[in-house]
Amino acid sequence: MKFKGFVLGMSVWLGMTAAHAQEPLYTPKAQQVAGNVYAIVGPLGQRSEANAGLNANYGFVVTAQGVILIDSGASAHGAALLEKAVKAVTPQPIRWVLNTGSQDHRWLGNDYFARRGAQVHAQAATVQTQKASAEQQLAGLQRFVGDQLKGTQPGYATVVHAGPEAAVTLGGVQFEWVQTSAHYPGDTLIHLPQSSVTFTGDLVYVDRLLGVLPQSNVRKASQAFERLRALSPRHVVPGHGQVTDMAQAQKETGNYCRFLIDNIGSAARNMDALSETLDKFAAPAQFKHLQNFDELHRANMNRVFVDFESNP
Ligand SMILES: [Zn+2]
């Protein structure tokens, strides 16, 4: 038994070393988007110790009264890394934290910033999903980031905006805060009209294929994308992928949602066979190049099919 434990321990250790060797340590770094608005663009792959679960995009706005941080990271450890990236830009403290959504890496750093005096804001529907999924998210994250989760407590917004749309001003910065419910129920986007920047949360993915989860709603996503088009931002900070513009967001997210609705949704409504439908639309040329396509596209189609089948 002792020997077996040793072998198991060795293979875990070797596995971890291999993973570390493949994946460079990710250090969050701010990039200026426009004026006093910054983005922190995370890696596109899965959560890991090397990226501290920060495989998503974050942002912040520097004001004379303090920093407004958009999304707080996947743990207290990840939150401290985001704080460092902010500190490299400004000595101002993080005074406000806004959550665009309820996926682990959007909010599990809330408690870290609240303990340092920040006020956490979110829409009511976002908090509802956070509360419903906190336990499961922490258990899931544990598998990817292990001991980095130590000291992480779920922390919820103390300033809750009713939604689905809210106009908020903090430190002289105006926000239009719009519910999308695209990836998770209660997901939002945050638009800054003064700088024409939108932080889309998990509504927009570029460079990689978006994921349709059992919690996702492709019809709501498509409607929210039209709302984003109406806002017409000059700069788009997507949930995942490089800072971009509406043209790329349209091509890689807006059009993909339409593709799923028009082809897979329609097939489900017509009561076509599931497997034939998935085969027929297996390799759309306009999306095949996106990272994670091979892992996600078929499952995405499957979920959309089932969604339209049960709710045509
Ligand atoms: Zn995400």
Side-chain angles (χ1 to χ4, degrees), residues 71 99-103 106-107 121-133 156 160-162 177 179 181 184-188:
D71 293 330
N99 297 154
T100 65
S102 55
Q103 212 173 10
R106 304 251 161 244
W107 72 281
H121 291 240
Q123 286 204 9
T126 311
V127 177
Q128 203 184 337
T129 306
Q130 288 171 346
K131 287 186 173 164
S133 42
Y156 303 99
V160 178
H161 303 271
W177 203 341
Q179 204 177 112
S181 293
Y184 270 64
D187 275 7
T188 66

Side-chain angles (χ1 to χ4, degrees), residues 99-119:
N99 297 154
T100 65
S102 55
Q103 212 173 10
D104 51 9
H105 46 216
R106 304 251 161 244
W107 72 281
L108 285 172
N110 285 355
D111 174 68
Y112 175 89
F113 292 109
R115 284 172 190 276
R116 296 168 119 69
Q119 189 182 57

Side-chain angles (χ1 to χ4, degrees), residues 5 22-23 26 43 47 50 70 98 110 117 130 152 159 163 186 235 241 245 264 274 296 304:
Q22 283 165 6
E23 194 183 347
Y26 166 64
R47 294 155 184 77
I70 298 174
L98 279 54
N110 285 355
Q130 288 171 346
T152 303
V159 183
H235 311 278
D245 55 19
I264 312 308
L274 170 63
L296 296 178
V304 171

Side-chain angles (χ1 to χ4, degrees), residues 17 25 79 82 85 89 103 143 150-152 170 173 203 210 217 241 253 270 306:
T17 313
L25 200 66
L82 293 178
V89 170
Q103 212 173 10
R143 294 201 307 271
K150 273 187 188 150
T152 303
L170 298 169
V173 180
L203 171 62
L210 71 86
N217 186 318
T253 291
N270 293 339
V306 170

Side-chain angles (χ1 to χ4, degrees), residues 56-90:
N57 293 348
Y58 303 88
F60 61 96
V61 189
V62 181
T63 84
Q65 294 160 51
V67 172
I68 304 154
L69 178 70
I70 298 174
D71 293 330
S72 61
S75 64
H77 173 78
L81 294 176
L82 293 178
E83 186 182 44
K84 246 191 197 165
V86 173
K87 278 211 170 113
V89 170
T90 174

Side-chain angles (χ1 to χ4, degrees), residues 55-56 103 105-106 183 202 205 239-240:
N55 61 334
Q103 212 173 10
H105 46 216
R106 304 251 161 244
H183 199 52
D202 283 324
Y205 289 50
H240 299 268

